[in-house]
Amino acid sequence: MSAPSSSSSTNTATYESALLRTARWRPWEFVVWAVAFALPLLVPSHSLLVNEIAIVALFAMSLDLILGYTGIVSLGHAAFFGFGAYAAALFAKLVMPDPTVGLVFATVLSALLGLVASVTILRGSDLTRLMVTLGTALLLLELANKLDWLTGGADGLQGVVMGPVLGLFEFDLYGRTAAWYSLAVMLVLFLVMRRLVHSPFGATLKAIRDNRLRAMAIGIPVVSRLAVIYTVAAGIAGAAGALLAQTTGFASLDVLAFDRSADVLLMLVIGGVGWLYGGVAGAIVFKLLQNWLSAVTPQYWMFWIGLILVLLVLVGRDRLLKPWTWFGMGKKKGGAA
């Protein structure tokens, strides 16, 4: 009678050890983060770009929580990004200029909005979710446009003055404080997301992504899991939006535009879904390409990014760096396809 219990205990121990192995930090990860925090010192003239990349990378990772790990496709993730931006900007303008308190305030409000909006993704197919999430973002965009007495409307919310970070570090014109501030917030939230996806809770999310009906059959509370992860992702997206408003001192309708949702989705296509560093890699490649191509060909930079994305989809992320494999030249002679 003790054999089944012993087998179950062994399987549980094996599963827990596998989770611990995947959650273990690799040496190259420490190098990546050390280089990231050193960039404002190594390339001080590009500190503003580092700050922008850190913000969009955090935004991309928040989308990856629901897309890559849970299988929820969204075209309206900018709703939470923009809501967080306006919340932080209004908090600084009307309440107090402390950036850390404003960041927490915007994150909590965005998470609450995500909790309410999670009702819209619990039912329906992927196409339904695409339309519903897009509609949510468009509603907030129009609301921000109409409430011009509060948000500034098409002119944007101006006059946002931020205090020093932790009362010690003033925001400078070169953007170094902004870059370190955004990188620090990004690292803290990355640790939270990493712990989340490598936990048993994260394993249930992947089970829901792979087969929702099977997950329900084995007793996973699918509805509550979807609501929780959608709320967490919304809060992190709101934090990214708050960082943008705080480091630029401005919030406009652009933070709620469809372009924001489309761009962050493209970043995940470039970097890869279901991998938190995919959002970081995609953000780096996308922003560097955008800055370089817009400087070389200001009118046609979107064409070249579109061409790169077409090649990425047709050829594949791994094969894109190996042109000799594009047309089957990399196959072994006489081997089956």
Side-chain angles (χ1 to χ4, degrees):
M1 294 297 292
S2 61
S5 177
S6 175
S7 176
S8 177
S9 300
T10 303
N11 292 336
T12 302
T14 303
Y15 177 70
E16 290 177 350
S17 63
L19 281 178
L20 289 174
R21 284 196 302 271
T22 57
R24 189 176 298 123
W25 281 70
R26 274 64 173 178
W28 62 266
E29 295 183 74
F30 294 100
V31 175
V32 167
W33 287 103
V35 170
F37 277 91
L39 283 176
L41 288 177
L42 298 176
V43 283
S45 60
H46 292 86
S47 295
L48 291 175
L49 178 60
V50 173
N51 173 61
E52 189 176 356
I53 290 175
I55 292 171
V56 295
L58 181 60
F59 186 29
M61 286 190 287
S62 72
L63 178 61
D64 199 27
L65 282 181
I66 59 175
L67 176 61
Y69 287 95
T70 318
I72 302 172
V73 184
S74 174
L75 273 180
H77 207 54
F80 311 114
F81 182 87
F83 189 78
Y86 274 108
L90 287 170
F91 184 85
K93 187 175 182 178
L94 303 177
V95 183
M96 63 182 298
D98 189 288
T100 51
V101 178
L103 177 67
V104 173
F105 175 77
T107 303
V108 171
L109 280 189
S110 299
L112 290 175
L113 177 63
L115 179 61
V116 173
S118 66
V119 178
T120 63
I121 55 95
L122 297 179
R123 298 172 61 88
S125 62
D126 288 340
L127 180 59
T128 304
R129 295 193 192 98
L130 279 174
M131 294 299 100
V132 170
T133 53
L134 177 59
T136 302
L138 293 177
L139 283 172
L140 284 180
L141 174 63
E142 187 58 25
L143 189 63
N145 186 36
K146 292 296 183 182
L147 299 177
D148 53 357
W149 57 272
L150 180 65
T151 64
D155 295 329
L157 184 62
Q158 304 177 22
V160 179
V161 179
M162 300 305 304
V165 179
L166 301 177
L168 300 173
F169 308 102
E170 294 277 357
F171 286 100
D172 57 286
L173 294 176
Y174 299 101
R176 282 187 295 184
T177 300
W180 279 318
Y181 174 51
S182 297
L183 284 169
V185 174
M186 175 187 168
L187 176 58
V188 170
L189 293 178
F190 173 82
L191 293 174
V192 172
M193 288 184 282
R194 184 189 178 93
R195 181 69 183 89
L196 190 67
V197 299
H198 291 306
S199 67
F201 176 85
T204 62
L205 294 180
K206 296 172 188 175
I208 295 171
R209 175 198 62 192
D210 295 338
N211 194 314
R212 181 183 294 199
L213 293 178
R214 185 178 299 170
M216 294 176 66
I218 62 176
I220 295 175
V222 172
V223 172
S224 62
R225 290 290 192 271
L226 291 178
V228 169
I229 196 61
Y230 203 72
T231 301
V232 172
I236 294 173
L243 289 175
L244 180 66
Q246 291 177 339
T247 55
T248 60
F250 184 72
S252 66
L253 297 179
D254 176 64
V255 294
L256 289 163
F258 170 73
D259 294 351
R260 291 279 178 182
S261 297
D263 286 350
V264 75
L265 195 58
L266 293 179
M267 292 174 199
L268 288 182
V269 171
I270 294 172
V273 296
W275 181 51
L276 290 178
Y277 282 107
V280 179
I284 294 172
V285 173
F286 183 84
K287 295 305 295 185
L288 291 179
L289 279 175
Q290 185 184 53
N291 279 290
W292 177 62
L293 291 173
S294 59
V296 175
T297 58
Q299 295 178 334
Y300 305 109
W301 66 270
M302 292 186 68
F303 167 80
W304 295 109
I305 287 184
L307 181 61
I308 293 171
L309 289 171
V310 169
L311 286 175
L312 181 65
V313 173
L314 292 178
V315 177
R317 188 178 300 102
D318 296 331
R319 295 178 62 201
L320 186 62
L321 301 177
K322 303 174 183 178
W324 59 89
T325 65
W326 292 3
F327 305 102
M329 292 182 291
K331 296 179 181 178
K332 293 182 180 180
K333 293 182 180 180

